[in-house]
Amino acid sequence: MEWRLWRQSWRPWLRLFVMAAAVVVITQEGCVCGGDVTYDGRSLIINGERRILFSGSIHYPRSTPEMWGSLIGKAKEGGVDVIQTYVFWNLHEPQPGQYNFSGRYDLVKFIKEIQAQGLYACLRIGPFIESEWTYGGFPFWLHDVPDIVYRSDNEPFKFYMQNFTTKIVNMMKSEGLYASQGGPIILSQIENEYQNIEAAFHEKGPSYVRWAAKMAVELQTGVPWVMCKQTDAPDPVINTCNGMRCGQTFGGPNSPNKPSLWTENWTSFYQVYGGEPYIRSAEDIAFHVALFIARNGSYVNYYMYHGGTNFGRTSSAYVITSYYDQAPLDEYGLLRQPKWGHLKALHAAIKSCSTTLLQGLPTNFSLGQLQEAYVFREETEGRCVAFLINNDERNNATVQFQNASHELMPKSISILPDCEKVIFNTATVNTNDTKRIIRTTEIFDSMDRWQGYTDVIPNYENSSLLSDTLLEHMNVTKDVSDYLWYTLRFQHNISCAEPKLVAESQGHATHAFVNNIYIGNAHGSHDTKQFIMQSPVVLSNEINNISLLGVMVGLPDSGAFLERRFSGLTRVEIQCSENEFYNFTNYAWGYQVGLFGEKLQIHREENIHMVEWSKANTSLNQPLTWYKTFFDAPIGNDPVALNLSSMGKGEGWINGQSIGRYWVSFLTSKGEPSQIMYHVPRSFFKTSENLLVLLEEAGGNPLRISLNTISLSTLPKHIQYYHLLQ
């Protein structure tokens, strides 16, 4: 019904009521004009021309500057017009007023690379971004600002949000990167899916939305601003759709003078530890893109077009290091076929008739019980475009259209650029599949090559912070480390035949040591936030030391009142029986942030001498052990990955650069790890003597680690299936 009503909104579009997102001038005719990028009820207008645009999300810090050119070039070859990226506040302002825009964080260089290849850019400043990025992109120092309430009509938060947004806008302006200056940026985004939590803030939610929109518009970028999933986006900000099926779910713009834009078309979905990859077919993506265009849409962004890698500690809670590997360009930047090729053909088909789609008069009518047509006609030019749709997911359908019979495949859309001949069908894939080829170039199976260092287990007496209760994890670590030690000591006065240590946590994992002896670990999951570890213990007759290592695997990235989240231990006790226990929750606790090896940064070559390393055979399968070895880079230019299938949980570095967290021991319901291959960008390598360092939390065997190159082979057409991450 909503789309039937859409036809009624067409008349305002014909009046060409053009809205600008910058400073505007209203003429006597009611046309709102200004800058080089404007919009009306049909589309964005660039230099006076309406455009149907296909966009692809590529996040600059999830790849490397050496990869940017190739990624953007492949997107362009695939028919993409716009590169869309978030801006990552925590990377750029790690401390108040201290900025970092170097290396992978060089936003200006990334935007200029987009411009050099003749594409547009959409800059999603946020600065809250979610994006399965730790803390939703917020720098953790915000947490300690007095009286702050994130994403609300709250003066402390608005002050810092405006500061950072202004910083980014002024940086883009100074480089001449907005379209109004001749640059590539045609859209900017403020906030991100705020309506999901708006009600939690009561009256301070809507007022915050109005403030954010006004603040952004007053920055005078000369290009439109958008708010995604925000039906109350104030004029002139455009409300946009996120999801997999916006052609069906989007209620439309909140004004007849705004275009239908789709800012996130999820090409797959993020994956968590313990979870399987989500496979979305090329046919399904193409169907919903074609449907969105048929129903008045004019901008579609693929989230992600290239997902890349969550290097370092950047992923949010429980999210794996590989990001959207099933996108049209996989984690390594290789073509994911047939997805890439099928979408390229779709883009070409729609662009071949875009003039009529943008200027023609639309109609929509039934062709059968589950079949319909969307038709665009230019009466003066005599041109016509048709989308013939079969919504039946199981059966073919034969329909009559313009005195001709058309066979429609199940759940498919046929595009007829002249209303006669079909040039594209969403369910007909003419691109061959590709298979990922993994070639092992080296196995690190020699004991002589590895050295190990077992980290220090702290006790209460050498703790740096003391408290008489259990403290919240994130508030103590300030996100400088995943790790927080909780330590206590007590005199043995427990009359218990078979004592058991019980630790309840709202963190992500806990490792337990009693009198420096490792007794076990436990962890939660993305869907089960709270967990309990129970392990038998042997207590000394004198002083007992308990050292519990709380572990975070990324900070939370979504939800209201993010600043109030609690993580870490909530209850610790020695249990003798169900009804007999000794509670240590409110007790004298000592704390230490991070591991000793972390503080010394022994993953860096200049610091490895700061601890005493030994032959690895003395530390194999030991908890909290650092391993190091040296190796030469693989010959050639193919992407490179480490196979860490023999390890447990931890983090890896090549020449001091983190390739991300690994958690191989966390198995899916099928008994397999969520990820075993870890991308090492070629730019991380030297020609020879590359330093590999691993921090292993719970054991693992480095002697089975291998170095591999990644390439593709094309499969015959009769073999049509998807190859999952290996």
Side-chain angles (χ1 to χ4, degrees):
M1 267 308 190
E2 290 173 343
W3 288 106
R4 306 287 182 181
L5 294 175
W6 153 71
R7 287 181 290 171
Q8 300 174 17
S9 70
W10 195 263
R11 291 183 182 275
W13 169 75
L14 290 174
R15 290 197 295 269
L16 308 183
F17 189 93
V18 182
M19 300 288 294
V23 175
V24 296
V25 178
I26 302 178
T27 69
Q28 290 182 344
E29 290 77 17
C31 177
V32 183
C33 308
D36 295 320
V37 182
T38 58
Y39 63 80
D40 61 18
R42 185 63 185 99
S43 74
L44 294 175
I45 300 171
I46 303 176
N47 294 325
E49 179 185 357
R50 285 190 191 83
R51 297 290 302 273
I52 290 178
L53 297 168
F54 296 104
S55 173
S57 286
I58 300 174
H59 294 162
Y60 53 98
R62 282 175 159 143
S63 55
T64 66
E66 293 77 10
M67 296 172 66
W68 293 344
S70 174
L71 295 172
I72 294 166
K74 289 175 181 177
K76 181 178 181 179
E77 186 183 351
V80 166
D81 310 290
V82 184
I83 301 299
Q84 181 168 292
T85 185
Y86 280 123
V87 179
F88 298 78
W89 188 359
N90 67 326
L91 299 183
H92 296 309
E93 194 177 7
Q95 294 298 325
Q98 298 178 16
Y99 296 100
N100 183 358
F101 291 92
S102 62
R104 295 201 319 275
Y105 311 160
D106 194 338
L107 175 59
V108 167
K109 182 176 181 178
F110 182 71
I111 299 297
K112 287 185 175 181
E113 181 62 38
I114 295 170
Q115 183 178 29
Q117 299 212 33
L119 299 183
Y120 298 119
C122 173
L123 195 64
R124 307 177 80 187
I125 298 175
F128 173 80
I129 62 172
E130 191 167 339
S131 190
E132 294 72 58
W133 192 264
T134 189
Y135 220 43
F138 285 161
F140 195 80
W141 55 259
L142 276 178
H143 177 273
D144 295 330
V145 173
D147 302 319
I148 196 166
V149 179
Y150 300 166
R151 306 176 73 195
S152 175
D153 193 356
N154 169 266
E155 293 305 320
F157 177 71
K158 292 191 298 182
F159 174 81
Y160 287 105
M161 174 177 169
Q162 183 168 4
N163 275 359
F164 182 72
T165 304
T166 303
K167 171 76 175 180
I168 297 301
V169 167
N170 287 344
M171 179 180 290
M172 298 301 104
K173 283 183 178 180
S174 69
E175 298 288 338
L177 294 176
Y178 282 104
S180 55
Q181 303 172 290
I185 302 173
I186 59 170
L187 281 176
S188 290
Q189 179 177 303
I190 196 71
E191 250 299 334
N192 190 71
E193 297 187 348
Y194 183 69
Q195 195 160 359
N196 290 346
I197 64 167
E198 184 173 351
F201 298 99
H202 304 290
E203 72 280 357
K204 290 187 177 292
S207 60
Y208 166 68
V209 171
R210 293 190 295 270
W211 170 84
K214 182 175 183 291
M215 180 269 291
V217 171
E218 288 179 349
L219 291 173
Q220 301 185 20
T221 61
V223 304
W225 286 86
V226 302
M227 283 183 166
C228 61
K229 296 181 76 171
Q230 194 68 41
T231 58
D232 61 347
D235 292 343
V237 176
I238 305 167
N239 63 298
T240 69
C241 186
N242 288 358
M244 290 188 180
R245 297 167 179 83
C246 282
Q248 296 173 341
T249 62
F250 188 38
N254 61 16
S255 164
N257 307 309
K258 297 177 182 179
S260 284
L261 310 182
W262 189 355
T263 37
E264 289 188 19
N265 178 7
W266 305 329
T267 56
S268 175
F269 210 60
Y270 67 88
Q271 189 178 352
V272 298
Y273 290 109
E276 301 283 351
Y278 182 92
I279 310 298
R280 189 180 181 198
S281 71
E283 297 93 323
D284 185 66
I285 299 173
F287 178 91
H288 288 284
V289 170
L291 183 63
F292 187 73
I293 298 298
R295 291 179 168 178
N296 206 31
S298 58
Y299 176 99
V300 178
N301 176 72
Y302 299 103
Y303 189 100
M304 299 289 296
Y305 199 81
H306 165 73
T309 307
N310 291 316
F311 297 111
R313 300 169 47 248
T314 57
S315 62
S316 64
Y318 292 104
V319 172
I320 69 171
T321 295
S322 176
Y323 192 63
Y324 274 79
D325 183 46
Q326 296 293 323
L329 299 179
D330 70 12
E331 179 181 7
Y332 306 97
L334 303 175
L335 303 186
R336 172 72 67 183
Q337 299 285 30
K339 195 171 288 185
W340 183 88
H342 194 50
L343 295 178
K344 176 181 179 179
L346 170 64
H347 302 156
I350 291 174
K351 289 178 181 180
S352 72
C353 51
S354 62
T355 300
T356 302
L357 291 175
L358 292 167
Q359 297 181 3
L361 184 67
T363 56
N364 167 227
F365 50 87
S366 174
L367 297 174
Q369 186 175 4
L370 294 172
Q371 294 75 40
E372 59 182 329
Y374 286 86
V375 179
F376 298 78
R377 294 184 187 276
E378 287 185 275
E379 298 297 343
T380 56
E381 302 294 333
R383 291 194 286 253
C384 174
V385 177
F387 293 79
L388 306 185
I389 303 173
N390 181 12
N391 290 305
D392 190 328
E393 297 188 1
R394 296 185 178 182
N395 303 305
N396 284 11
T398 301
V399 299
Q400 296 297 315
F401 175 72
Q402 292 205 158
N403 300 319
S405 179
H406 294 270
E407 185 78 11
L408 303 181
M409 297 175 65
K411 194 186 177 184
S412 72
I413 300 178
S414 292
I415 300 176
L416 293 69
D418 56 1
C419 283
E420 294 181 3
K421 184 179 179 181
V422 176
I423 65 165
F424 183 87
N425 180 273
T426 59
T428 302
V429 178
N430 294 314
T431 302
N432 288 355
D433 280 19
T434 51
K435 178 181 179 180
R436 184 175 286 175
I437 304 300
I438 300 174
R439 294 184 175 88
T440 299
T441 63
E442 187 169 359
I443 300 176
F444 299 92
D445 56 356
S446 172
M447 187 76 74
D448 293 336
R449 294 184 56 178
W450 287 99
Q451 289 187 311
Y453 165 72
T454 301
D455 214 289
V456 176
I457 312 301
N459 289 324
Y460 178 85
E461 57 268 20
N462 51 32
S463 296
S464 56
L465 172 66
L466 303 178
S467 175
D468 60 1
T469 189
L470 293 171
L471 300 178
E472 195 276 326
H473 184 119
M474 294 182 290
N475 193 41
V476 179
T477 64
K478 309 299 183 187
D479 195 34
V480 301
S481 172
D482 285 349
Y483 304 105
L484 177 63
W485 284 104
Y486 300 74
T487 61
L488 69 84
R489 64 182 177 185
F490 62 92
Q491 183 77 35
H492 179 48
N493 56 2
I494 298 176
S495 56
C496 192
E498 296 181 349
K500 182 188 301 182
L501 176 66
V502 177
E504 185 173 1
S505 177
Q506 292 186 32
H508 300 155
T510 301
H511 298 276
F513 298 80
V514 175
N515 298 323
N516 289 346
I517 297 174
Y518 187 61
I519 65 167
N521 67 78
H523 63 80
S525 70
H526 184 265
D527 299 325
T528 305
K529 310 302 183 187
Q530 187 167 313
F531 64 93
I532 298 175
M533 184 192 73
Q534 301 185 64
S535 297
V537 294
V538 176
L539 298 177
S540 166
N541 290 325
E542 298 179 354
I543 297 294
N544 287 277
N545 286 284
I546 295 180
S547 303
L548 300 173
L549 182 62
V551 186
M552 295 292 287
V553 187
L555 302 189
D557 70 336
S558 60
F561 303 110
L562 199 59
E563 71 282 356
R564 302 180 189 175
R565 295 297 177 82
F566 187 96
S567 65
L569 294 175
T570 57
R571 176 171 62 97
V572 177
E573 61 190 34
I574 298 293
Q575 192 175 87
C576 297
S577 66
E578 185 176 342
N579 299 318
E580 183 183 0
F581 57 86
Y582 298 83
N583 194 297
F584 294 99
T585 302
N586 295 310
Y587 198 80
W589 285 92
Y591 295 88
Q592 178 178 297
V593 175
L595 304 180
F596 186 67
E598 272 189 303
K599 292 180 180 180
L600 297 180
Q601 296 188 326
I602 61 174
H603 61 276
R604 303 175 64 90
E605 188 166 2
E606 61 268 29
N607 297 331
I608 59 175
H609 68 280
M610 299 181 74
V611 297
E612 186 174 344
W613 299 81
S614 60
K615 288 291 185 180
N617 62 341
T618 63
S619 56
L620 284 181
N621 293 302
Q622 294 298 308
L624 296 187
T625 299
W626 298 77
Y627 296 102
K628 72 176 178 73
T629 190
F630 289 89
F631 66 98
D632 295 340
I635 297 172
N637 297 313
D638 286 337
V640 179
L642 278 171
N643 184 329
L644 299 180
S645 59
S646 62
M647 302 304 290
K649 180 183 183 301
E651 187 174 353
W653 293 263
I654 301 288
N655 296 324
Q657 299 197 67
S658 175
I659 61 173
R661 301 183 183 98
Y662 63 87
W663 199 348
V664 178
S665 60
F666 196 154
L667 304 181
T668 70
S669 59
K670 298 179 181 178
E672 299 291 335
S674 295
Q675 181 179 355
I676 61 172
M677 303 298 293
Y678 287 80
H679 180 210
V680 185
R682 282 280 181 177
S683 60
F684 284 17
F685 289 116
K686 301 181 293 185
T687 303
S688 60
E689 288 297 297
N690 294 280
L691 172 64
L692 166 61
V693 175
L694 299 170
L695 166 59
E696 173 57 49
E697 291 179 23
N701 181 2
L703 300 182
R704 293 170 54 196
I705 292 173
S706 65
L707 192 67
N708 306 270
T709 58
I710 312 296
S711 59
L712 298 175
S713 68
T714 302
L715 296 172
K717 282 188 176 181
H718 66 276
I719 302 177
Q720 295 291 319
Y721 60 90
Y722 286 90
H723 295 268
L724 306 184
L725 183 68
Q726 300 186 42

